[in-house]
Amino acid sequence: MDIGKTGKILLADIGGTNARFALSTSGQTGPIDYVKVADFPTVHEAIVDVLARRSDGEQPRRAVLAVAGPVTNNRCVMTNSPWVIDGNELQPSLGLDIVHVLNDFEVVAWSLPALQPADLVPLGGGDGLAGEPLLVVGPGTGFGVSCLVDRHGSRLAVVTEAGHATLPAENEREERLIACMRKRLGHVSIERGALSGSGLQSLYEAIAEVDGAQVPHRDAAAITKAALEGSCPVSHATLEMFCAILGSVAGNLAVTFGARGGVYIAGGIVPRFRAFLAASAFRARFEAKGRFQDYLRDIPTRLVVKPDASFLGLTMFAEHNPG
């Protein structure tokens, strides 16, 4: 394929089931092309197909690809699909000047400075300090954590595996629930014990067991629905505790990273119950850090509700990394 020397950049957000592609020119992102991963044996063939339909004869010079998985040496072996995303192989095979492969949550961190008030729901705190680290946490299929650090004109998104750290207990009830989950899970991580789809289900089952309640099997979506409807006290208690634990964990990570620029909540779960979260113990637990309560009180917390924040992050990364 003859990739011309143009200013176009190929952007992609690649998950296990679906991939989204778009072309960006001068910071303006064009229409997003949705592709089912199962329709193409490799990411190379998917990209060739998208470019054949979308490039209008002007091929991109660069690509920035967000992938739902760990990235090592510009390469990701997808967990839930047969695709292997290897930037060093795609670059010559597509005739591109450079291909960047980034973890999807790293890309969300890159989007944070460009988010507008309409993209966010405020959840308390002050205005944040300009130039200080911005932290994003995201309960979804897993629990993603990334921190954007800006120093001396250079910007870096720190990718973490904080979701696999041990779930902390803030009171005796949480200690009992974690002890209950430990019998089944062994190590109870933040992700598996609470702050993910499977974690919400684990928390629901533990509350039912500790309280001696008989409840039907429910997945995360059904637990959330029953909680918001008020049809199941255990589901309601589960969602309340999820929000409280999210506040505690977000506060822990804020002091860990010194995220005085702000803490953002992303991921696929929380936007479904934004009013419930705002009325919950989330913010009180976020600030409840003893002598450091004043430090936390000034840090803003915001819920990200922009559907395509990843493409904003991909564009921001491309602008700051032209080579």
PDB file of all heavy atoms in Angstrom, residues 209-224:
ATOM      1  N   GLU A 209     -24.566 -13.297  51.857  1.00  0.00           N
ATOM      2  CA  GLU A 209     -24.100 -14.370  52.734  1.00  0.00           C
ATOM      3  C   GLU A 209     -23.918 -13.887  54.168  1.00  0.00           C
ATOM      4  O   GLU A 209     -24.373 -14.541  55.117  1.00  0.00           O
ATOM      5  CB  GLU A 209     -22.770 -14.929  52.203  1.00  0.00           C
ATOM      6  CG  GLU A 209     -22.243 -16.100  53.025  1.00  0.00           C
ATOM      7  CD  GLU A 209     -21.006 -16.734  52.424  1.00  0.00           C
ATOM      8  OE1 GLU A 209     -20.770 -16.568  51.205  1.00  0.00           O
ATOM      9  OE2 GLU A 209     -20.268 -17.403  53.171  1.00  0.00           O
ATOM     10  N   VAL A 210     -23.279 -12.738  54.350  1.00  0.00           N
ATOM     11  CA  VAL A 210     -23.031 -12.214  55.695  1.00  0.00           C
ATOM     12  C   VAL A 210     -24.337 -11.860  56.399  1.00  0.00           C
ATOM     13  O   VAL A 210     -24.498 -12.082  57.610  1.00  0.00           O
ATOM     14  CB  VAL A 210     -22.094 -10.987  55.627  1.00  0.00           C
ATOM     15  CG1 VAL A 210     -22.068 -10.229  56.947  1.00  0.00           C
ATOM     16  CG2 VAL A 210     -20.681 -11.429  55.249  1.00  0.00           C
ATOM     17  N   ASP A 211     -25.312 -11.353  55.640  1.00  0.00           N
ATOM     18  CA  ASP A 211     -26.595 -10.947  56.228  1.00  0.00           C
ATOM     19  C   ASP A 211     -27.612 -12.080  56.283  1.00  0.00           C
ATOM     20  O   ASP A 211     -28.726 -11.899  56.797  1.00  0.00           O
ATOM     21  CB  ASP A 211     -27.189  -9.781  55.436  1.00  0.00           C
ATOM     22  CG  ASP A 211     -26.386  -8.499  55.602  1.00  0.00           C
ATOM     23  OD1 ASP A 211     -25.475  -8.483  56.451  1.00  0.00           O
ATOM     24  OD2 ASP A 211     -26.669  -7.524  54.879  1.00  0.00           O
ATOM     25  N   GLY A 212     -27.264 -13.241  55.729  1.00  0.00           N
ATOM     26  CA  GLY A 212     -28.189 -14.370  55.723  1.00  0.00           C
ATOM     27  C   GLY A 212     -29.410 -14.132  54.861  1.00  0.00           C
ATOM     28  O   GLY A 212     -30.503 -14.640  55.163  1.00  0.00           O
ATOM     29  N   ALA A 213     -29.243 -13.383  53.781  1.00  0.00           N
ATOM     30  CA  ALA A 213     -30.373 -13.058  52.898  1.00  0.00           C
ATOM     31  C   ALA A 213     -30.419 -14.027  51.717  1.00  0.00           C
ATOM     32  O   ALA A 213     -29.389 -14.405  51.171  1.00  0.00           O
ATOM     33  CB  ALA A 213     -30.244 -11.626  52.396  1.00  0.00           C
ATOM     34  N   GLN A 214     -31.622 -14.408  51.335  1.00  0.00           N
ATOM     35  CA  GLN A 214     -31.824 -15.248  50.158  1.00  0.00           C
ATOM     36  C   GLN A 214     -32.113 -14.353  48.965  1.00  0.00           C
ATOM     37  O   GLN A 214     -33.132 -13.657  48.936  1.00  0.00           O
ATOM     38  CB  GLN A 214     -33.001 -16.212  50.397  1.00  0.00           C
ATOM     39  CG  GLN A 214     -32.776 -17.196  51.534  1.00  0.00           C
ATOM     40  CD  GLN A 214     -31.629 -18.152  51.248  1.00  0.00           C
ATOM     41  OE1 GLN A 214     -31.492 -18.656  50.138  1.00  0.00           O
ATOM     42  NE2 GLN A 214     -30.806 -18.389  52.263  1.00  0.00           N
ATOM     43  N   VAL A 215     -31.207 -14.342  48.005  1.00  0.00           N
ATOM     44  CA  VAL A 215     -31.378 -13.483  46.832  1.00  0.00           C
ATOM     45  C   VAL A 215     -31.123 -14.301  45.571  1.00  0.00           C
ATOM     46  O   VAL A 215     -30.370 -15.268  45.590  1.00  0.00           O
ATOM     47  CB  VAL A 215     -30.412 -12.277  46.867  1.00  0.00           C
ATOM     48  CG1 VAL A 215     -30.757 -11.331  48.005  1.00  0.00           C
ATOM     49  CG2 VAL A 215     -28.959 -12.734  46.972  1.00  0.00           C
ATOM     50  N   PRO A 216     -31.749 -13.930  44.452  1.00  0.00           N
ATOM     51  CA  PRO A 216     -31.488 -14.633  43.194  1.00  0.00           C
ATOM     52  C   PRO A 216     -30.112 -14.260  42.642  1.00  0.00           C
ATOM     53  O   PRO A 216     -29.541 -13.229  43.004  1.00  0.00           O
ATOM     54  CB  PRO A 216     -32.593 -14.122  42.267  1.00  0.00           C
ATOM     55  CG  PRO A 216     -32.935 -12.771  42.805  1.00  0.00           C
ATOM     56  CD  PRO A 216     -32.765 -12.862  44.295  1.00  0.00           C
ATOM     57  N   HIS A 217     -29.605 -15.118  41.772  1.00  0.00           N
ATOM     58  CA  HIS A 217     -28.357 -14.780  41.082  1.00  0.00           C
ATOM     59  C   HIS A 217     -28.591 -13.552  40.218  1.00  0.00           C
ATOM     60  O   HIS A 217     -29.589 -13.468  39.493  1.00  0.00           O
ATOM     61  CB  HIS A 217     -27.900 -15.947  40.204  1.00  0.00           C
ATOM     62  CG  HIS A 217     -26.751 -15.588  39.300  1.00  0.00           C
ATOM     63  ND1 HIS A 217     -25.453 -15.543  39.746  1.00  0.00           N
ATOM     64  CD2 HIS A 217     -26.727 -15.228  37.991  1.00  0.00           C
ATOM     65  CE1 HIS A 217     -24.670 -15.179  38.746  1.00  0.00           C
ATOM     66  NE2 HIS A 217     -25.416 -14.992  37.675  1.00  0.00           N
ATOM     67  N   ARG A 218     -27.705 -12.584  40.289  1.00  0.00           N
ATOM     68  CA  ARG A 218     -27.795 -11.385  39.466  1.00  0.00           C
ATOM     69  C   ARG A 218     -26.408 -11.014  38.964  1.00  0.00           C
ATOM     70  O   ARG A 218     -25.431 -11.116  39.710  1.00  0.00           O
ATOM     71  CB  ARG A 218     -28.366 -10.194  40.257  1.00  0.00           C
ATOM     72  CG  ARG A 218     -29.857 -10.262  40.560  1.00  0.00           C
ATOM     73  CD  ARG A 218     -30.326  -8.945  41.179  1.00  0.00           C
ATOM     74  NE  ARG A 218     -31.777  -8.878  41.280  1.00  0.00           N
ATOM     75  CZ  ARG A 218     -32.454  -9.096  42.403  1.00  0.00           C
ATOM     76  NH1 ARG A 218     -31.816  -9.408  43.516  1.00  0.00           N
ATOM     77  NH2 ARG A 218     -33.779  -9.009  42.416  1.00  0.00           N
ATOM     78  N   ASP A 219     -26.320 -10.555  37.721  1.00  0.00           N
ATOM     79  CA  ASP A 219     -25.069  -9.997  37.235  1.00  0.00           C
ATOM     80  C   ASP A 219     -25.042  -8.510  37.575  1.00  0.00           C
ATOM     81  O   ASP A 219     -25.985  -7.977  38.186  1.00  0.00           O
ATOM     82  CB  ASP A 219     -24.889 -10.249  35.738  1.00  0.00           C
ATOM     83  CG  ASP A 219     -25.975  -9.597  34.873  1.00  0.00           C
ATOM     84  OD1 ASP A 219     -26.758  -8.769  35.386  1.00  0.00           O
ATOM     85  OD2 ASP A 219     -26.028  -9.923  33.671  1.00  0.00           O
ATOM     86  N   ALA A 220     -23.965  -7.819  37.195  1.00  0.00           N
ATOM     87  CA  ALA A 220     -23.803  -6.419  37.585  1.00  0.00           C
ATOM     88  C   ALA A 220     -24.945  -5.542  37.083  1.00  0.00           C
ATOM     89  O   ALA A 220     -25.440  -4.672  37.807  1.00  0.00           O
ATOM     90  CB  ALA A 220     -22.467  -5.900  37.063  1.00  0.00           C
ATOM     91  N   ALA A 221     -25.383  -5.770  35.838  1.00  0.00           N
ATOM     92  CA  ALA A 221     -26.462  -4.948  35.269  1.00  0.00           C
ATOM     93  C   ALA A 221     -27.759  -5.147  36.043  1.00  0.00           C
ATOM     94  O   ALA A 221     -28.479  -4.181  36.328  1.00  0.00           O
ATOM     95  CB  ALA A 221     -26.661  -5.289  33.798  1.00  0.00           C
ATOM     96  N   ALA A 222     -28.055  -6.396  36.410  1.00  0.00           N
ATOM     97  CA  ALA A 222     -29.294  -6.688  37.142  1.00  0.00           C
ATOM     98  C   ALA A 222     -29.229  -6.143  38.569  1.00  0.00           C
ATOM     99  O   ALA A 222     -30.244  -5.671  39.108  1.00  0.00           O
ATOM    100  CB  ALA A 222     -29.545  -8.194  37.157  1.00  0.00           C
ATOM    101  N   ILE A 223     -28.052  -6.206  39.189  1.00  0.00           N
ATOM    102  CA  ILE A 223     -27.882  -5.646  40.538  1.00  0.00           C
ATOM    103  C   ILE A 223     -28.131  -4.142  40.501  1.00  0.00           C
ATOM    104  O   ILE A 223     -28.861  -3.588  41.344  1.00  0.00           O
ATOM    105  CB  ILE A 223     -26.469  -5.950  41.077  1.00  0.00           C
ATOM    106  CG1 ILE A 223     -26.280  -7.446  41.306  1.00  0.00           C
ATOM    107  CG2 ILE A 223     -26.206  -5.181  42.378  1.00  0.00           C
ATOM    108  CD1 ILE A 223     -24.828  -7.871  41.489  1.00  0.00           C
ATOM    109  N   THR A 224     -27.532  -3.473  39.530  1.00  0.00           N
ATOM    110  CA  THR A 224     -27.700  -2.024  39.404  1.00  0.00           C
ATOM    111  C   THR A 224     -29.157  -1.661  39.157  1.00  0.00           C
ATOM    112  O   THR A 224     -29.693  -0.735  39.779  1.00  0.00           O
ATOM    113  CB  THR A 224     -26.818  -1.495  38.251  1.00  0.00           C
ATOM    114  OG1 THR A 224     -25.452  -1.824  38.513  1.00  0.00           O
ATOM    115  CG2 THR A 224     -26.963   0.000  38.107  1.00  0.00           C
TER     116      THR A 224
END
